[in-house]
Amino acid sequence: ETRRFIPVERFVIHPFYTDFQDQRYRRLRFDIALGQLAETINPNEVQPAILGEEARIGEALFIASWPRGSGPRPRQRRCFVIDGVIPAVVTLGCRVRGGESGAPLFRLVDGGAELVAIINSRAAQQDQDVALAADIRLRIRPLLDALEKTP
């Protein structure tokens, strides 16, 4: 197994992220960034992720993460989307650890997986540990637009 590290040339945070400086939970909806690599990856090496529709309450999504101290292999597990208390934030009924922010959430579909959301926080809801995430499909266009405008 050959590994190659490609630096990020530039990145942007969601333009709405700074609009909610004093409103932590509203801000979570936009706690997402996009980076552009310094070089193009050969499509024969890595398949691009397909963007899925918004997460739905009751469905199982899969987390692939590399929490602190986990080693070279990702921690993979299934989490269910639950009804959350923060509007427009995906709430998962599972515990995440420090270092899992930025982990992708995938939906398994025929022929592969769709990228649905990105973990951005951990919290508790009615004494249950939960993970919070931002939907990708809802957030990607402003990120792509901002990246195009960034020198």
Side-chain angles (χ1 to χ4, degrees), residues 123-136:
Q125 182 173 302
Q126 298 175 349
D127 295 327
Q128 176 184 349
D129 289 331
V130 297
L132 304 176
D135 270 308
I136 293 293

Side-chain angles (χ1 to χ4, degrees), residues 42-60:
N42 181 335
N44 294 327
E45 292 179 50
V46 178
Q47 275 192 312
I50 296 168
L51 294 182
E53 296 298 323
E54 294 178 52
R56 297 178 297 271
I57 294 172
E59 79 171 315

Side-chain angles (χ1 to χ4, degrees), residues 129-147:
D129 289 331
V130 297
L132 304 176
D135 270 308
I136 293 293
R137 186 168 290 279
L138 295 174
R139 313 291 186 257
I140 195 72
R141 184 76 275 172
L143 284 166
L144 290 169
D145 290 347
L147 192 61

Side-chain angles (χ1 to χ4, degrees), residues 54-60 80-84 89-91:
E54 294 178 52
R56 297 178 297 271
I57 294 172
E59 79 171 315
F80 287 93
V81 178
I82 62 173
D83 191 13
V89 172
V90 178
T91 303

